[in-house]
Amino acid sequence: MRPLLPICSLAGILLACALVHPANAATTEPDWPCMQRKVPELSLAQIWNGPELPDTAKGWENDPDIAKRVRELAARRLPLPDAEQQIKDFAASLPPDKLVPAMTMLEQGLFDHMNAERSRVMSGITRYARKQIEVAADLRKEASELDDLTAKPDADPNQVTQLTDRLNWETRVFDERVKSLTYVCEVPTLIEQRLYQLSKTIADTLAPKK
């Protein structure tokens, strides 16, 4: 009897290709696989509703304390409520004449750091998707070659079984990578949301006290 490639494997390839190239993705870039619209970089105006940041805030990397706080607050392993409380505590510890310089520098640092992180993640997603597209093409080619082989009356059953097992395994790995991609697609949005919340907390520390 002619061995058949399991339907789930072929369906997995087709489904994965659909996920790598979502038909209704809000983007004009063919290599962008996520449903979320691709915005390579954020603007400060999208995030910040506090006072205008002075040029001196751009020197945040030269302040070891601010730079350290930026890295700690940006890290998603630190729960957001804890990060917000750290910002409030830091603001409360500052003398009045240091509040605006320090907090605007912290905001600039968080924006620069997290915007760059978000862009790196998005570039990684694009590279990941391109690799998946290449793998999908290889799987379709292997499936076609296996189909041609099994159609031959003198096909070696052992070779057919070996190739079928290999294709099934490669397809399962491919499917798992597609599932991972759907989760990774959420990361830029998570970074953006975190940055917005941290920025809002900083802006609140600079708001006039009633």
Side-chain angles (χ1 to χ4, degrees):
M1 179 180 293
R2 174 185 173 187
L4 298 175
L5 180 66
I7 294 177
C8 61
S9 297
L10 293 175
I13 295 173
L14 296 175
L15 174 60
C17 290
L19 289 172
V20 171
H21 280 303
N24 58 342
T27 178
T28 58
E29 298 191 30
D31 291 335
W32 181 245
C34 305
M35 300 299 294
Q36 299 89 336
R37 181 170 175 265
K38 183 178 183 181
V39 180
E41 292 189 1
L42 300 173
S43 68
L44 186 61
Q46 292 175 271
I47 300 299
W48 179 243
N49 62 357
E52 183 177 354
L53 301 185
D55 288 340
T56 53
K58 296 178 181 178
W60 63 271
E61 288 182 292
N62 298 323
D63 186 313
D65 181 57
I66 295 295
K68 180 174 181 290
R69 291 180 186 277
V70 165
R71 292 191 296 271
E72 291 176 348
L73 294 170
R76 293 189 301 281
R77 63 177 176 273
L78 177 65
L80 183 58
D82 293 348
E84 292 176 309
Q85 188 59 51
Q86 286 189 22
I87 290 173
K88 296 173 185 177
D89 292 343
F90 176 51
S93 72
L94 295 168
D97 62 321
K98 300 292 185 182
L99 178 65
V100 172
M103 300 310 289
T104 53
M105 193 177 289
L106 181 63
E107 171 58 27
Q108 185 71 61
L110 283 170
F111 177 79
D112 291 347
H113 181 87
M114 297 179 74
N115 192 30
E117 178 190 10
R118 181 179 173 277
S119 294
R120 288 194 297 271
V121 169
M122 297 180 79
S123 295
I125 290 173
T126 299
R127 291 193 299 272
Y128 192 103
R130 287 172 182 165
K131 179 62 177 177
Q132 283 293 88
I133 292 169
E134 294 173 1
V135 173
D138 290 341
L139 289 176
R140 287 194 296 269
K141 180 180 178 181
E142 288 183 35
S144 178
E145 291 173 349
L146 179 58
D147 189 60
D148 291 343
L149 177 62
T150 57
K152 297 178 180 179
D154 59 344
D156 181 353
N158 291 330
Q159 182 183 12
V160 171
T161 298
Q162 183 179 29
L163 293 177
T164 299
D165 290 344
R166 186 179 74 181
L167 182 57
N168 286 339
W169 169 252
E170 291 174 347
T171 302
R172 283 196 294 272
V173 172
F174 181 84
D175 290 343
E176 289 300 317
R177 287 177 60 86
V178 170
K179 292 176 183 177
S180 297
L181 182 60
T182 62
Y183 293 116
V184 174
C185 279
E186 297 291 336
V187 175
T189 299
L190 294 176
I191 295 173
E192 183 177 346
Q193 291 172 345
R194 184 180 181 88
L195 175 58
Y196 176 80
Q197 285 301 126
L198 295 178
S199 298
K200 182 177 182 300
T201 302
I202 294 174
D204 288 345
T205 68
L206 298 176
K209 300 298 187 290
K210 297 182 179 179

